[in-house]
């Protein structure tokens, strides 16, 4: 995987030390944005709350474990990393998307938490959520299918 936890932690430390409220970079097709104070839960270990945005479709490529039973990766939104998947911003909020919802490129469809870092999974293209393949609070592995999408 091109974006490692170690590189995220290193970037978080650098951004905090540099007193940046927001820092973004792209590596191997992954877009990562670190923002201070915007995650649902603060990260006390680093003094900065972080939300990363990864275009979900960019994960499934040649050799990627899409975990979709042979379906075309363009018809699925996959987990960009392993962690706990949240279908809404918090317990009191409505889900980001449900089956049948239309989605737009760049729209947040879920959050994945790994090592106190909340990663916002965003749609890579416009479409319609055909099916949810994950439950709220479930542990997911990188590359596993979260949503089936119709173009």
């Amino acid at each position: 995987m091109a974006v490692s936890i170690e590189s995220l932690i290193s970037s978080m430390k650098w951004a905090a030390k540099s007193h940046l409220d927001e820092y973004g970079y792209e590596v191997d097709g992954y877009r990562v944005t670190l923002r201070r104070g915007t995650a649902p839960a603060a990260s006390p270990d680093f003094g900065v709350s972080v939300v990363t945005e990864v275009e979900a479709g960019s994960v499934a490529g040649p050799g990627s474990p899409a975990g979709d039973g042979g379906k075309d990766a363009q018809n699925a939104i996959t987990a960009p990393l392993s962690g706990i998947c949240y279908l809404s911003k918090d317990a009191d909020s409505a889900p980001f998307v449900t089956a049948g919802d239309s989605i737009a490129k760049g729209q947040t469809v879920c959050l994945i938490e790994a090592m106190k870092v909340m990663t916002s999974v965003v749609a890579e293209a416009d479409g319609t959520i055909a099916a949810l393949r994950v439950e709220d609070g479930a542990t997911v592995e990188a590359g596993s299918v979260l949503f089936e999408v119709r173009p």
Side-chain angles (χ1 to χ4, degrees):
M1 189 155 116
V3 179
S4 68
I5 296 297
E6 292 79 20
S7 69
L8 286 172
I9 291 170
S10 176
S11 295
M12 289 169 55
K13 288 179 179 179
W14 178 83
K17 186 175 91 176
S18 300
H19 305 289
L20 297 175
D21 288 331
E22 183 171 321
Y23 169 69
Y25 62 98
E26 187 170 327
V27 65
D28 294 334
Y30 293 89
R31 185 182 69 229
V32 179
T33 304
L34 307 174
R35 293 186 187 110
R36 182 186 306 264
T38 59
S43 176
D45 295 338
F46 302 104
V48 63
S49 297
V50 177
V51 173
T52 61
E53 294 178 1
V54 179
E55 287 187 6
S58 65
V59 174
S64 290
D68 60 1
K71 285 187 178 244
D72 185 353
Q74 292 178 339
N75 293 328
I77 296 176
T78 57
L81 69 154
S82 298
I84 299 171
C85 183
Y86 297 103
L87 299 178
S88 60
K89 186 170 86 170
D90 56 48
D92 298 327
S93 297
F96 291 106
V97 295
T98 59
D101 286 354
S102 294
I103 57 172
K105 181 178 181 175
Q107 177 180 343
T108 298
V109 293
C110 67
L111 299 173
I112 297 179
E113 178 184 14
M115 295 182 64
K116 298 183 184 177
V117 175
M118 299 301 284
T119 301
S120 179
V121 180
V122 298
E124 185 178 271
D126 296 348
T128 301
I129 299 292
L132 279 68
R133 300 270 304 268
V134 65
E135 292 183 22
D136 189 47
T139 300
V140 297
E141 293 186 23
S144 60
V145 174
L146 305 174
F147 304 93
E148 291 180 22
V149 178
R150 286 190 313 262

